[in-house]
Amino acid sequence: MNIDTNKGIKGFAIIVDINSYAKMVSDSKANMMAQFTRDVLAGGIRAVEEQGGIVVGFMGDAFLGFLSESENVFSSCLSIAQDLNNQCEYISNNYEAFPFSPQGPSLKIAIEYGHFDISDITSKFLGNQKLFAGEAINYAARISAAESGNRCLIGPQAYENGLKDYISRGDGPFSIEGKQGESICEYYRLNLDDIWIERESEESYWS
């Protein structure tokens, strides 16, 4: 995905965020969480980059990425689901090493389409960084708060720009109320339940 700082970019913003992160931090030993967070998010980062996207920022327990084509967005979501399933299986077999997350982590994925402005920002520690801003990023962040557990939620512009081909009938539109002064946000649900391997114990890590 090419970046033109002067023109900005147009495409799909994807935010991948760990659920119940604050509680896991409070329940854990401080020296374990950075590595655990890295391991949980690494599969999602790899999925986005393998589909030609870019990952541009980290926000504690989340990352922000961009992809240009709807089919690449869908493939990324499948890969994220498959990777998390593998992680949950590993943790369930080694749960004593993860007392703060014995059943494994869960993720929320939020996606919206739009135009994004780009600027530069610098700090002594990080050096020069790209700063991205756009309504679609804000919209994705807002709809990520809807529902619970593992979920992949799609904004209306992302739906209209190709992701509707992957949304089943009955999976939207839904709505979530914003904070005071904010409008209601509509979203659709990308159902990934079939991606997760059903174990003999009938565990389904995604659902």
Side-chain angles (χ1 to χ4, degrees):
M1 189 172 189
N2 296 322
I3 297 178
D4 187 328
T5 303
N6 295 320
K7 295 181 180 179
I9 59 174
K10 198 165 188 178
F12 297 87
I14 177 170
I15 296 175
V16 180
D17 194 353
I18 301 174
N19 283 316
S20 304
Y21 187 73
K23 184 179 186 304
M24 283 193 286
V25 172
S26 67
D27 292 343
S28 73
K29 297 178 181 178
N31 62 353
M32 296 178 63
M33 283 310 298
Q35 181 175 337
F36 178 78
T37 305
R38 179 203 67 187
D39 293 344
V40 173
L41 296 180
I45 295 166
R46 185 168 56 251
V48 170
E49 292 179 340
E50 286 178 349
Q51 291 298 321
I54 54 174
V55 173
V56 300
F58 300 91
M59 300 158 281
D61 60 329
F63 72 79
L64 170 66
F66 296 102
L67 292 133
S68 57
E69 303 295 335
S70 60
E71 56 265 34
N72 299 126
V73 175
F74 179 67
S75 294
S76 293
C77 292
L78 296 187
S79 294
I80 292 169
Q82 290 165 342
D83 180 77
L84 187 61
N85 184 72
N86 292 334
Q87 290 188 53
C88 288
E89 181 180 13
Y90 174 80
I91 289 173
S92 70
N93 292 327
N94 299 273
Y95 63 90
E96 292 181 355
F98 302 91
F100 51 87
S101 183
Q103 295 180 340
S106 65
L107 293 177
K108 50 188 174 185
I109 305 168
I111 299 161
E112 182 57 315
Y113 182 89
H115 180 269
F116 310 97
D117 293 328
I118 307 173
S119 187
D120 293 296
I121 190 168
T122 302
S123 76
K124 289 182 179 180
F125 181 73
L126 295 173
N128 189 62
Q129 303 282 309
K130 296 296 182 186
L131 179 67
F132 294 79
E135 175 57 27
I137 299 173
N138 296 342
Y139 201 99
R142 288 174 63 187
I143 64 175
S144 71
E147 305 193 9
S148 62
N150 284 309
R151 68 257 197 203
C152 185
L153 306 180
I154 310 298
Q157 294 304 312
Y159 177 86
E160 292 296 336
N161 280 276
L163 286 178
K164 63 183 177 183
D165 295 338
Y166 306 99
I167 305 294
S168 301
R169 181 178 295 181
D171 280 335
F174 308 105
S175 62
I176 178 175
E177 292 187 6
K179 298 178 182 177
Q180 187 173 1
E182 294 180 340
S183 60
I184 292 175
C185 288
E186 287 193 343
Y187 66 91
Y188 297 80
R189 185 187 301 122
L190 180 58
N191 192 329
L192 299 175
D193 284 359
D194 290 342
I195 303 308
W196 299 88
I197 300 171
E198 295 287 342
R199 302 300 175 188
E200 290 182 2
S201 62
E202 296 185 353
E203 287 181 313
S204 176
Y205 295 117
W206 179 255
S207 58

